[in-house]
Amino acid sequence: LTTTNVVTINVGGENFQTTKQTLTQAGPNSLLSQLAETTSDRFVDRDPVYFSLLLSLLRTGALPSKVKDFDLRDLIEESRYYGLESLLTNSLTNPSQLDAFALQKSSILPLNGRDSPSAVATTPFGSLHVSHGSKITSFDWSLTRKSTILTQFPAVDSLLAISPDTAAAGATDFSGLQILDLQNGSVKQTLNWENATRSGSTVQAIGSSGEFLFTSFESSRRNSNSIMVYDLNTLNPVTEIGHNEIFGADIDSAIPATKLRWVSRYGLVMASGSHSGLSGVSGNIRFWDIRSGNVVFELKEKIDCFSDICVSDNLNAVFKVGVNSGEVFYTDFRSLSSVNDNSNPWICLGDKRKVINGKKEGFGCKIENHGNQVFCSKGGDIELWSEVVMGSAKTSNGSEDQSTKRDFKKNMMGRVKDMGGSRITNLAFGGNKMFVTRKDQQVIEIWQGSARGI
């Protein structure tokens, strides 16, 4: 290295030597990039200890292990001063750092008031919005700053983070989808769906892709339902799919979608809903192509209908918890094209326990996927399912045989002290953390791997 490439900075009376290249990692608008270019006195009146941590971040892309001994709020404040907050965020909350097998309950976030959480929404880098009663409490990515707003809803049933400061919220007993400014608690916009009778419509589910916002509406008279697609940036309506006007006893069309998930691998929206009747729980899972407005695949659920359902792009499969058995089932996405009304595409991953006394073992169970893993709540515990990859069988023409049964293994999450407790009501993932809420508890549990230490 030439001596002109070496930069000496005096921070709070302590000299640090580094290179211009290291300082420019901070980005063109940062104080450190400016210091790299100046030849005058490089003195910064800040704490040298925190500067050494941030210099390590610039050098290696990661913070040193001793960072766990420092206050995170102070470190964030220092990173803002130098213009390094986005680098710090990425280092501490990168979703790729979520180690599913090492997750354990690390801390709790208390909520104000007596209401327990009804819905949880996260952003990719770990900021968090939680609805409880008529309030929504937001936490920044570091979970150190908290703000609460009061909504017009008696209770919020569906919540989706559009950005760290904007959320879409809806309720099953209050009309309209509201786009909320979470900074000042104001309603930016209300989106309504009107059916033929011009009655109000309540929100049953919200979902999104990078481009679109999906909302499942049901008329307040419960005689029609629809899935509306909006442009996520302008919030203008793009199209309407799945519009049902219900006449007589057509149970299937009377079921509104209560979960909407975007399947990016195929560019489809998964919409699922169920109904509890005299003959038990029945439901349907439909995969919609929003361009054509057609259903590409449909699963009609009559035997052990889902209590909850998720779809995994990474695993190319749909997973459900059976409401009667409480078992986890999967179906390979590639086999959905061959499903007809009489076939049962689901393969059980559990013990295939006999269902005794008609008890709904899976009632209230939640299932979500993250990366290559599937997480399922069972009462107060969490199961983790991961695929054991075997050598794939080849057919006679050399292509992979897709009919072979895939092998999944179950782990229980957490340490002994994490086990049990009240029934889990929400599982959500943001950044490198898992968030858990429980029945009748006014807190959010943070689960993270032990490796990060902060």
Side-chain angles (χ1 to χ4, degrees), residues 13 51 58 80 114 117 130 152 207 291 311 349 355 396 409 449:
F51 181 77
L58 289 176
R80 284 193 191 126
R114 289 175 294 190
V130 185
Q152 299 168 356
R291 291 176 299 280
V311 58
L349 296 182
V355 180
S396 54
K409 180 170 176 284

Side-chain angles (χ1 to χ4, degrees), residues 160-387:
L160 180 94
I162 295 175
S163 75
D165 300 326
T166 312
T172 55
D173 57 358
F174 191 91
S175 273
L177 176 77
Q178 294 191 354
I179 309 299
L180 300 171
D181 180 334
L182 297 167
Q183 294 287 63
N184 57 27
S186 62
V187 179
K188 291 173 109 168
Q189 201 168 339
T190 301
L191 306 175
N192 285 301
W193 172 72
E194 284 192 348
N195 69 328
T197 60
R198 299 275 183 237
S199 63
S201 52
T202 60
V203 171
Q204 304 297 309
I206 316 172
S208 70
S209 67
E211 199 177 344
F212 300 113
L213 175 69
F214 313 107
T215 309
S216 167
F217 286 105
E218 184 178 42
S219 66
S220 46
R221 297 178 186 177
R222 298 196 165 179
N223 58 357
S224 58
N225 55 61
S226 165
I227 298 169
M228 286 295 297
V229 182
Y230 301 95
D231 182 296
L232 194 55
N233 294 314
T234 64
L235 299 175
N236 292 330
V238 175
T239 186
E240 178 183 21
I241 55 177
H243 184 162
N244 290 308
E245 294 289 337
I246 297 139
F247 305 101
D250 181 7
I251 291 295
D252 205 38
S253 68
I255 303 173
T258 52
K259 194 163 193 178
L260 296 169
R261 288 290 184 271
W262 177 247
V263 192
S264 58
R265 181 188 285 229
Y266 298 100
L268 301 174
V269 181
M270 182 186 81
S272 62
S274 63
H275 169 86
S276 189
L278 293 173
S279 58
V281 182
S282 59
N284 57 55
I285 303 156
R286 295 186 175 114
F287 292 87
W288 293 89
D289 180 343
I290 57 176
R291 291 176 299 280
S292 67
N294 294 332
V295 175
V296 181
F297 308 118
E298 179 170 16
L299 298 171
K300 294 197 173 180
E301 289 280 278
K302 294 183 174 62
I303 308 160
D304 202 8
C305 182
F306 57 86
S307 166
D308 195 15
I309 188 152
C310 71
V311 58
S312 169
D313 265 335
N314 288 29
L315 295 170
N316 211 4
V318 186
F319 295 84
K320 76 168 185 180
V321 194
V323 72
N324 296 326
S325 64
E327 297 288 9
V328 175
F329 297 79
Y330 84 96
T331 181
D332 193 297
F333 214 103
R334 293 162 293 192
S335 64
L336 288 182
S337 54
S338 60
V339 172
N340 58 51
D341 280 358
N342 301 319
S343 62
N344 179 13
W346 297 104
I347 298 167
C348 183
L349 296 182
D351 311 322
K352 303 186 181 63
R353 290 189 297 269
K354 296 280 187 295
V355 180
I356 309 160
N357 306 329
K359 188 182 175 205
K360 291 188 173 63
E361 295 286 341
F363 180 76
C365 292
K366 298 291 178 188
I367 192 162
E368 292 291 345
N369 60 282
H370 188 279
N372 290 326
Q373 276 78 36
V374 174
F375 299 79
C376 180
S377 74
K378 295 288 177 74
D381 291 331
I382 302 169
E383 293 176 356
L384 167 67
W385 290 91
S386 52
E387 185 168 18

Side-chain angles (χ1 to χ4, degrees), residues 375-404:
F375 299 79
C376 180
S377 74
K378 295 288 177 74
D381 291 331
I382 302 169
E383 293 176 356
L384 167 67
W385 290 91
S386 52
E387 185 168 18
V388 181
V389 181
M390 318 295 273
S392 59
K394 294 275 194 276
T395 57
S396 54
N397 65 4
S399 64
E400 282 192 20
D401 180 6
Q402 294 168 0
S403 63
T404 52

Side-chain angles (χ1 to χ4, degrees), residues 9-13 31-32 35 42-47 81-82:
I9 302 175
N10 182 328
V11 181
L31 171 65
L32 296 180
L35 287 174
R42 296 187 180 102
F43 175 77
V44 184
D45 191 13
R46 303 295 285 192
D47 188 324
Y81 177 81
Y82 294 108

Side-chain angles (χ1 to χ4, degrees), residues 124-138:
F125 280 102
S127 53
L128 171 71
H129 310 302
V130 185
S131 62
H132 48 118
S134 54
K135 299 185 285 291
I136 297 174
T137 294
S138 303

Side-chain angles (χ1 to χ4, degrees), residues 417-435:
K417 71 182 186 63
D418 298 329
M419 299 296 186
S422 303
R423 179 169 62 82
I424 289 167
T425 50
N426 286 286
L427 286 174
F429 298 87
N432 58 351
K433 301 175 183 68
M434 177 172 75
F435 301 102

